[in-house]
Amino acid sequence: MKLDVLCALNIEKAARRACVLATDLATGDSHLIRAAELAAAPLTGTALGEAAAAAIRQGRSGMAEIEGRQVFLTAHIPPVRLVVTGAVHISQALSPMARQVGFDMTIIDPRTAFATTERFPEAAVIAEWPEEALPRVRVDAYTAFLALTHDPKIDDPGLDAALGAKCFYIGALGSRKTHAGRVARLKARGFADSDIARIHAPIGLDIGAVSPAEIAVSILAEVIEALRKST
């Protein structure tokens, strides 16, 4: 790999941006395809662009035949993170599940009686207000944000940050009535209807979940769906 390609790859990885390293097996030449380039010329609508987009979407490297040439596509995908406001029972059930599918999980909750490493041995726990913690956590396009407390003082700052960072998934716990109040608060803070529509509320796939563990399953499934069906 040429030094300039390696440097470009390291820049994308450090910035937590997805990219694909395309290597022509006949010549050994490699070049980097950034996720942001896939929707624009000259890649849009091409076999190489479609193969690279699929590699990013599936998080999987592999061989592709591009215009009669064998090209190996190495997918470099930032580790998916779950950032959760609320050290609640659903979060406790979700934490080991998230680890099983390879997602990092961070719990943010200022209530120190709940936000403990004893209750969440498999997650990073930050017992602070979201306004204090989120600038360090730095949510991004490979972050799923979950608001699970029912408390606007804790959940709303996280929703503001997640919407601003264009997290690939944003979900909020609560009834439709609860969400209506949430929508009103977001509009008062200047968010457009199109922004607010990105919030999954009620959170999770509609599988009739009742217990915290079942709700956690529905949430994780919806997160995976959002991740794998996005470009």
Side-chain angles (χ1 to χ4, degrees), residues 109-135:
D109 196 321
R111 300 171 298 182
T112 55
F114 301 111
T116 66
T117 55
E118 289 77 18
R119 296 184 72 229
F120 296 95
E122 294 157 319
V125 179
I126 305 176
E128 299 176 10
W129 289 96
E131 299 94 319
E132 300 167 348
L134 285 168

Side-chain angles (χ1 to χ4, degrees), residues 90-186:
I90 295 171
S91 307
Q92 280 187 290
L94 181 61
S95 180
M97 298 180 195
R99 185 177 182 183
Q100 285 292 315
V101 298
F103 295 169
D104 294 331
M105 184 164 166
T106 299
I107 306 290
I108 300 173
D109 196 321
R111 300 171 298 182
T112 55
F114 301 111
T116 66
T117 55
E118 289 77 18
R119 296 184 72 229
F120 296 95
E122 294 157 319
V125 179
I126 305 176
E128 299 176 10
W129 289 96
E131 299 94 319
E132 300 167 348
L134 285 168
R136 300 196 308 275
V137 174
R138 296 177 63 184
V139 296
D140 58 26
Y142 276 85
T143 301
F145 175 78
L146 317 177
L148 301 182
T149 72
H150 286 293
D151 186 341
K153 298 190 300 298
I154 300 175
D155 286 342
D156 283 9
L159 290 169
D160 289 354
L163 289 168
K166 308 220 179 286
C167 293
F168 79 88
Y169 175 89
I170 305 171
L173 190 67
S175 65
R176 286 176 174 80
K177 181 178 179 181
T178 297
H179 188 58
R182 183 183 294 127
V183 168
R185 295 192 301 273
L186 288 167

